[in-house]
Amino acid sequence: MEEQVRVQGVAMPASRESSWTVLGDDDIPVEPIERYLAYLTDIERSPNTIRAYAYDLKDYWVFLAVRRLDWREVRLEDIGEYVAWLRLPPTGRDGQVAVLPSVEPHVTASTINRKLSALAAFYAYQVRHGVDLGELLTTWQPPGGHRSGWKPFLHHISKSKPQPRRAIVLKTPTKLPRILTVVLAENHIRAGHAAWWYS
């Protein structure tokens, strides 16, 4: 199934800028993805960003085809299944091969979070253009739910209102800076102590 949906590099007709598109099994661009990627090109997103989003959305379209789902009728539970599907090795994604629970996940949590972020941006774009999806990929965070010191612009205006956030976010391991990792190795310091010291 994965070979039927593919990412293709393209040159924009007016500017000759390079961009990316996702082709369906009929070699025609997948219309909702094409509109979204064209929008990203129009607002001058990096070609590398557009390429990454194209591959992320291609993976999602393959998942939808395997599950026989329409992208406009996906439920939050389907997104959870998509996360589990991404963790499978490519040979096990079509359901024809059994995958043992001891098999390491095919992609990391940070990669899945990036794919979910691309998906959330895609669906937010579709909602702004009239596609009714409800609150598929967002949930509401209570007021004052920011744990960091960072506050969004004009926070003081809306701080008493619930704020939208992504519904599914995987926990990723904290990475120590490379230079700190070298210092740890040279001085035989345990990473747990360094994480405490670094934070």
Side-chain angles (χ1 to χ4, degrees):
M1 173 58 71
E2 197 157 339
E3 287 75 29
Q4 294 178 352
V5 180
R6 63 189 171 94
V7 174
Q8 177 70 45
V10 295
M12 300 308 288
S15 64
R16 306 305 295 166
E17 292 282 325
S18 65
S19 188
W20 300 87
T21 192
V22 177
L23 301 176
D25 56 358
D26 54 2
D27 287 334
I28 295 176
V30 177
E31 187 60 33
I33 297 175
E34 176 64 19
R35 283 193 312 266
Y36 178 61
L37 296 177
Y39 160 74
L40 292 178
T41 301
D42 291 345
I43 62 170
E44 299 180 359
R45 290 290 185 251
S46 160
N48 291 336
T49 299
I50 296 169
R51 180 179 183 270
Y53 275 38
Y55 276 100
D56 294 342
L57 292 171
K58 180 209 81 134
D59 287 346
Y60 182 60
W61 239 252
V62 170
F63 167 78
L64 293 175
V66 167
R67 303 282 193 202
R68 293 181 171 80
L69 296 170
D70 184 291
W71 69 274
R72 292 166 295 233
E73 297 173 2
V74 171
R75 300 169 303 136
L76 188 58
E77 292 79 9
D78 298 320
I79 301 299
E81 289 178 17
Y82 173 61
V83 169
W85 182 83
L86 284 171
R87 291 179 176 257
L88 295 173
T91 55
R93 290 181 178 173
D94 62 2
Q96 301 297 316
V97 176
V99 179
L100 298 174
S102 60
V103 172
E104 289 291 316
H106 182 68
V107 294
T108 64
S110 58
T111 299
I112 291 173
N113 282 337
R114 190 202 70 225
K115 289 177 180 290
L116 290 174
S117 181
L119 201 54
F122 167 77
Y123 274 117
Y125 171 83
Q126 299 302 333
V127 167
R128 284 193 308 269
H129 287 84
V131 178
D132 182 24
L133 299 166
E135 295 178 0
L136 174 63
L137 290 177
T138 59
T139 188
W140 293 94
Q141 176 175 318
H146 295 285
R147 291 187 178 195
S148 69
W150 180 84
K151 303 283 187 260
F153 183 63
L154 299 178
H155 169 72
H156 62 284
I157 293 174
S158 63
K159 65 183 174 185
S160 63
K161 298 177 184 170
Q163 299 296 314
R165 66 178 177 89
R166 269 201 354 245
I168 300 175
V169 179
L170 300 185
K171 189 172 187 171
T172 57
T174 304
K175 290 185 178 180
L176 297 174
R178 282 189 192 163
I179 190 71
L180 187 57
T181 307
V182 171
V183 170
L184 293 177
E186 289 175 353
N187 295 306
H188 306 288
I189 300 173
R190 289 190 0 213
H193 289 142
W196 172 82
W197 172 65
Y198 183 69
S199 59

